[in-house]
Amino acid sequence: IAQDDGMPPGYPTSAWRVGIGFVDARTLSIPAAVKPGDYHLFIGWYRLTDGERLTPVGDGVEGTLFIAPAPIPVR
């Protein structure tokens, strides 16, 4: 129902290293026509040069997406 694409400010995926975390805050605008309910947040990463999806590892990962553990309530 909403998405935001963009490079993490000052930290392109080409510079990512295993074990080094970072914060990337995003704001999603939910369209007014969206029905109230609990929605899941799916997060994916891809290489900008060719659009290839990167494969995350860890808890909450399904395929090439991370699924946030708690649903997002829309009221």
Side-chain angles (χ1 to χ4, degrees):
I1 61 172
Q3 77 175 57
D4 183 27
D5 287 306
M7 186 172 18
Y11 197 31
T13 56
S14 60
W16 292 6
R17 298 296 174 256
V18 173
I20 299 175
F22 64 95
V23 174
D24 181 13
R26 301 289 171 148
T27 300
L28 297 175
S29 297
I30 308 299
V34 170
K35 294 180 180 180
D38 291 337
Y39 291 83
H40 292 278
L41 179 64
F42 297 86
I43 302 168
W45 297 268
Y46 59 90
R47 197 171 25 238
L48 186 60
T49 55
D50 61 8
E52 182 178 340
R53 180 79 70 176
L54 303 176
T55 303
V57 295
D59 294 337
V61 172
E62 287 189 21
T64 59
L65 294 172
F66 170 76
I67 303 171
I72 310 297
V74 173
R75 306 288 178 245

